[in-house]
Amino acid sequence: MALLLRTLARQGTCLSRPQFGVFYRHAVPMGTTAKEEMNKFWAKNNKLNRPMSPHITIYQWSVPMIMSITHRGTGVGLSGGISAFALLALVLPGSYPYYLDLIHSLSIGPALLGLAKFGIAFPLSYHTLNGIRHLFWDSGKGFTLPEVYRSGYVVIALSILTSIAAIAYM
C-alpha cells in the first residue's frame, strides 16, 4: 500500500482531498487567463504596427503554394460530393435509373454537359495525380526546387489531358 501511495504521489495524484474524488491532479494556478494573454499579444502587435501573420498579402504566390491549396480543396470537395451523393442515394425515393432519366429529360446542351463532366473529372484526376506526386515525395524524391515546379506542371498538364480524355470517352 505504501508503494502505491508513493507512486501516486510521484505522479502528482493526491488522495487527501475527498471533495474532488479519489484521484486529484495538482494543477498549477495560472497567473493570467488566456483572454488576458491574447489581449496583451494583440496590444503589443498593434503598438508595433505589425501585420497579422501569416497574412496573404505578404506572400508571393507560387505554383507549389497554389497546388497545395488546390489539392486540399479538391480533397474536401470530392469527399463532400461523394458523401452527399451517398446520403442522397440513401434518403431519396426512387432508383438510380429514375434520376438518370430525370437528368436526361432536362435537355442540357452539350456545352453545359461537357463543362459539368469536366467539373467532375478534373478534381478527381488532379487530386489523384497530385497524390501520386506526394507519394514520390514521401519516398524522398523530387524535393529540389526545379523538380517541384516540373512535377507540378506535369500534374497540371496530365490532369487537363486526362479530364478531356474522360469527357471524350463518356
Side-chain angles (χ1 to χ4, degrees):
M1 183 68 173
L3 179 63
L4 175 66
L5 289 176
R6 249 184 277 137
T7 304
L8 291 173
R10 281 189 200 131
Q11 293 174 353
T13 308
C14 179
L15 297 175
S16 64
R17 300 206 181 187
Q19 72 269 23
F20 296 109
V22 176
F23 295 108
Y24 171 74
R25 284 239 178 238
H26 290 283
V28 177
M30 291 179 52
T32 59
T33 65
K35 185 170 177 114
E36 290 169 347
E37 288 295 321
M38 188 175 65
N39 288 338
K40 285 192 325 191
F41 171 79
W42 287 114
K44 179 182 174 186
N45 282 344
N46 287 336
K47 181 178 144 188
L48 297 173
N49 200 19
R50 291 179 176 165
M52 197 181 319
S53 181
H55 197 269
I56 207 164
T57 60
I58 65 172
Y59 293 113
Q60 182 179 357
W61 288 86
S62 63
V63 172
M65 181 190 297
I66 293 170
M67 290 189 70
S68 174
I69 293 168
T70 307
H71 184 75
R72 294 162 196 253
T74 56
V76 169
L78 288 169
S79 64
I82 290 170
S83 299
F85 182 79
L87 184 65
L88 290 174
L90 287 172
V91 186
L92 290 177
S95 62
Y96 177 72
Y98 169 77
Y99 291 104
L100 192 58
D101 289 338
L102 179 69
I103 292 172
H104 283 293
S105 70
L106 294 175
S107 300
I108 299 173
L112 189 58
L113 189 60
L115 187 63
K117 287 179 180 180
F118 188 81
I120 294 170
F122 180 77
L124 182 63
S125 64
Y126 175 81
H127 194 78
T128 302
L129 293 169
N130 204 35
I132 293 169
R133 177 180 177 224
H134 278 267
L135 287 175
F136 276 104
W137 286 352
D138 290 343
S139 69
K141 294 176 175 45
F143 276 122
T144 65
L145 207 51
E147 289 173 332
V148 168
Y149 274 86
R150 188 177 325 118
S151 65
Y153 290 129
V154 167
V155 165
I156 292 169
L158 285 177
S159 297
I160 292 170
L161 290 175
T162 56
S163 298
I164 291 171
I167 290 169
Y169 179 73
M170 290 194 268

